[in-house]
Amino acid sequence: MPIRIALADDQALVLSGLKALLGGFEQFAVVAEATDGEGLLAALGGMPVDVVLCDVRMPGLDGLEVCARLRRLPGAPPVILLTTFDDPGQALAAARAGARGYLLKDASPLELVEAIEDVATGRQAITPVATDAIRERYTYRDRAPPCGQFNQREIDILRLLAGGYTNREIGQVIHVTEGTVKNYLTEVFDKLGTRDRTRAVLKAITLRII
């Protein structure tokens, strides 16, 4: 069975572009589309959907409110919020509203595919900042490979570190305690061979870990 996707975006070109892109992957099936939040909720009431892709900023009912309403419904599909604006603080608002994913619209097709597959299987997909510009301007001098593989939770934490999140905020997004975040950071720093958050982020971006 393909992953059934519902789309919502008030820009016709974005909506049609997403539909055309996802239609090129046999593991996906776009089963509903809408141009606003109310239309999306109405469409979801009539068919089974596995993942919702929804623009954050739409007239009337926006993406955050869509997430909040769906969270109150039993069996509602998980939501990935899409945004044009590189605003790290908005990723935290998305997580608090109940979104399982948060992705910039300039993400690559591969990143979008991975995010949908992650969320469809119960994981999170949080990418609060675009890393390409950081990589071009602040390439880290130490390119030694990490001394270990990173699991998905550690990658999520690195992405949130890149967005400037505090340990407490990271815990709120990925639903763990602040102490657990500190433990993860210790592991991340050891694997990267870095001593602090800034060096860890820059090296992770340079090595394309995030």
Side-chain angles (χ1 to χ4, degrees):
M1 287 287 293
I3 297 173
R4 297 163 297 191
I5 300 171
L7 303 175
D9 198 297
D10 63 315
Q11 297 182 16
L13 283 176
V14 174
L15 191 62
S16 61
L18 284 171
K19 185 177 180 180
L21 172 64
L22 297 174
F25 295 89
E26 61 181 12
Q27 69 267 41
F28 300 141
V30 176
V31 297
E33 54 187 285
T35 57
D36 56 42
E38 293 289 359
L40 173 63
L41 292 178
L44 293 177
M47 65 183 64
V49 170
D50 299 309
V51 176
V52 174
L53 288 181
C54 181
D55 187 20
V56 173
R57 299 189 181 186
M58 295 185 293
L61 198 66
D62 66 11
L64 295 176
E65 183 59 28
V66 166
C67 286
R69 291 198 187 184
L70 287 176
R71 187 171 57 178
R72 298 193 289 265
L73 300 177
V79 179
I80 298 174
L81 289 178
L82 303 174
T83 183
T84 305
F85 305 96
D86 192 350
D87 179 3
Q90 199 170 63
L92 181 57
R96 286 171 173 165
R100 296 295 298 174
Y102 180 88
L103 201 62
L104 298 178
K105 287 183 179 179
D106 63 358
S108 69
L110 178 59
E111 288 174 320
L112 178 60
V113 168
E114 290 177 344
I116 293 171
E117 292 176 338
D118 282 345
V119 169
T121 54
R123 297 190 294 271
Q124 288 182 307
I126 306 293
T127 306
V129 295
T131 56
D132 287 345
I134 298 174
R135 187 179 298 112
E136 291 175 3
R137 187 171 182 180
Y138 300 106
T139 300
Y140 194 61
R141 64 184 183 282
D142 178 11
R143 299 195 180 192
C147 59
Q149 295 293 318
F150 291 92
N151 59 42
Q152 187 60 47
R153 179 54 56 84
E154 291 168 338
I155 291 173
D156 287 342
I157 288 173
L158 277 167
R159 286 172 173 164
L160 292 166
L161 281 183
Y165 283 48
T166 67
N167 290 354
R168 182 179 180 182
E169 290 170 338
I170 291 172
Q172 291 175 343
V173 172
I174 63 175
H175 308 295
V176 300
T177 66
E178 187 173 350
T180 300
V181 173
K182 291 179 180 178
N183 292 337
Y184 275 118
L185 287 177
T186 298
E187 292 292 325
V188 167
F189 293 166
D190 287 345
K191 289 178 181 180
L192 287 170
T194 55
R195 299 190 304 273
D196 58 49
R197 301 161 73 94
T198 301
R199 290 182 175 89
V201 166
L202 291 178
K203 185 170 183 180
I205 290 174
T206 297
L207 297 180
R208 298 184 181 274
I209 295 169
I210 59 174

